[in-house]
């Protein structure tokens, strides 16, 4: 199943106080795909995601979901279609893992509706998928950073939206759990057709898992498209001010970025000279 929801930004301008962060940005999220937003620190990745999810109103332009401005859509109605995992979310003090994940079902509860078997099933599936079922009775504030991150992802999954926005979902996770979470999101995309939009710092994981990359620089989209067309030496130089080499990832066949620092350039071996008598 592939979702047909369309999410786009049109001439979007965003900022805080006197500071402008995003300037007249246009983008379209491919429906039913996995999109990764990449860029240098403070380039506006999280700000853009906040506006796409209705948390930050634009100074100019608009965000459109299925032809309708998200900032004119009631929050609960929007939450039945679009879910968000923000950066560094804060849980209420003392709340248990189960209670927090259950809150993902809030958009599906009407004023007079009761908790249904479908709600139990959604919560159980989210806990199982994130391997947090054994933490259900624990207080969230007692967990490690990696455990908390997986619990927040479980809450987002329990919401069962057709579009899911995630701001750095691999934060606090070791390499094994990073891959586990990205594999989980890929499963969700492939089995349910959920459109995934995520901010990632790791360019190589972004290129391996995303169908579509958006590289931000200077408050605008510098490059967008398939990983092979976006993760290039020229784009890495322009967006990150970093010299690199791009090779083929031997595992995925996608582009793999090798950064070039000042201390790890392999010197060419000079063959020994022959002695002359």
């Amino acid at each position: 199943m592939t979702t047909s929801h369309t999410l786009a930004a049109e001439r979007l301008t965003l900022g805080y106080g006197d500071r402008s962060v995003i300037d007249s940005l246009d983008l379209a999220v491919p429906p039913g795909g996995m999109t990764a937003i990449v860029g240098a620190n403070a380039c506006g990745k999280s700000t853009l995601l906040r506006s796409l999810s209705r948390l930050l109103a634009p100074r100019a332009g608009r965000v459109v979901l299925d032809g309708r401005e998200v900032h004119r859509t009631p929050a609960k109605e929007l939450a039945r279609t679009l879910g968000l995992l923000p950066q560094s979310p804060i849980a209420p003090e003392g709340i248990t893992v189960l209670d927090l994940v259950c809150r993902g079902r809030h958009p599906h509860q009407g004023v007079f509706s009761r908790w249904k078997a479908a709600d139990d099933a959604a919560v159980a599936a989210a806990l199982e998928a994130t391997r947090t079922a054994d933490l259900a009775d624990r207080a969230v504030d007692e967990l490690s950073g990696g455990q908390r991150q997986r619990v927040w992802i479980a809450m987002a999954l329990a919401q069962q939206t057709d579009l899911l926005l995630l701001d750095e979902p691999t934060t606090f996770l070791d390499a094994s759990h990073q891959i586990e979470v990205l594999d989980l999101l890929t499963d969700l995309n492939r089995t349910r057709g959920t459109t995934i939009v995520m901010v990632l710092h790791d360019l190589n994981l972004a290129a391996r898992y995303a169908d579509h990359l958006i590289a931000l620089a200077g408050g605008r989209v510098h490059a967008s498209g398939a990983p092979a067309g976006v993760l290039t030496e020229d784009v890495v130089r322009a967006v990150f001010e970093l010299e690199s080499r791009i090779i083929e990832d031997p595992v995925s066949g996608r582009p793999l970025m090798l950064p070039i620092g000042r201390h790890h350039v392999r010197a060419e071996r000079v063959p020994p000279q022959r002695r002359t008598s």
Side-chain angles (χ1 to χ4, degrees):
M1 178 182 69
T2 301
T3 59
S4 58
H5 298 290
T6 59
L7 180 65
E10 300 174 354
R11 307 291 293 172
L12 189 65
T13 298
L14 305 169
Y16 304 98
D18 296 330
R19 183 169 65 95
S20 180
V21 179
I22 297 292
D23 183 28
S24 277
L25 179 145
D26 291 301
L27 67 81
V29 174
M34 290 187 68
T35 296
I37 302 173
V38 300
N41 288 342
C43 73
K45 301 185 297 295
S46 296
T47 297
L48 174 59
L49 210 68
R50 283 171 53 82
S51 186
L52 291 177
S53 64
R54 192 182 177 274
L55 290 183
L56 179 64
R59 290 179 170 179
R62 61 180 191 161
V63 176
V64 179
L65 174 62
D66 297 336
R68 184 179 180 188
E69 289 190 43
V70 299
H71 293 89
R72 297 177 181 235
T73 304
K76 195 167 184 178
E77 178 183 338
L78 182 67
R80 288 193 287 270
T81 300
L82 188 152
L84 170 70
L85 176 62
Q87 188 179 45
S88 302
I90 299 175
E93 185 176 354
I95 192 171
T96 66
V97 167
L98 180 60
D99 287 341
L100 182 65
V101 176
C102 284
R103 292 193 175 198
R105 302 301 299 164
H106 175 71
H108 302 278
Q109 307 299 310
V111 177
F112 302 107
S113 64
R114 298 179 179 179
W115 188 267
K116 301 181 179 65
D119 298 311
D120 283 325
V123 169
L127 290 169
E128 181 66 25
T130 53
R131 300 188 183 182
T132 52
D134 59 333
L135 304 174
D137 296 328
R138 297 269 303 275
V140 174
D141 49 18
E142 295 177 357
L143 304 178
S144 69
Q147 288 172 324
R148 281 198 300 272
Q149 188 71 355
R150 285 188 287 142
V151 168
W152 281 108
I153 291 172
M155 191 191 77
L157 296 184
Q159 197 171 333
Q160 291 187 326
T161 56
D162 289 333
L163 291 99
L164 186 57
L165 312 184
L166 305 104
D167 194 353
E168 299 182 35
T170 56
T171 297
F172 305 120
L173 301 180
D174 59 29
S176 174
H177 284 110
Q178 287 181 36
I179 297 301
E180 184 177 316
V181 164
L182 292 171
D183 280 346
L184 168 64
L185 295 175
T186 301
D187 291 340
L188 190 67
N189 170 257
R190 291 179 179 177
T191 59
R192 293 194 68 248
T194 303
T195 300
I196 305 287
V197 182
M198 52 189 173
V199 169
L200 289 178
H201 275 299
D202 190 315
L203 286 177
N204 290 328
L205 288 180
R208 178 180 287 190
Y209 281 92
D211 312 304
H212 186 81
L213 295 183
I214 298 172
L216 297 185
R220 295 176 180 269
V221 174
H222 180 85
S224 66
V230 175
L231 189 53
T232 67
E233 293 174 11
D234 287 342
V235 170
V236 172
R237 184 182 303 113
V239 173
F240 296 93
E241 298 182 352
L242 177 68
E243 294 299 323
S244 66
R245 293 290 179 269
I246 306 297
I247 64 173
E248 181 180 288
D249 185 337
V251 174
S252 67
R254 299 285 186 91
L256 181 71
M257 190 276 290
L258 304 178
I260 299 176
R262 293 186 295 110
H263 300 292
H264 300 98
V265 178
R266 185 172 60 182
E268 291 189 18
R269 298 183 62 184
V270 179
Q273 293 183 351
R274 294 181 179 178
R275 289 186 178 182
T276 57
S277 56

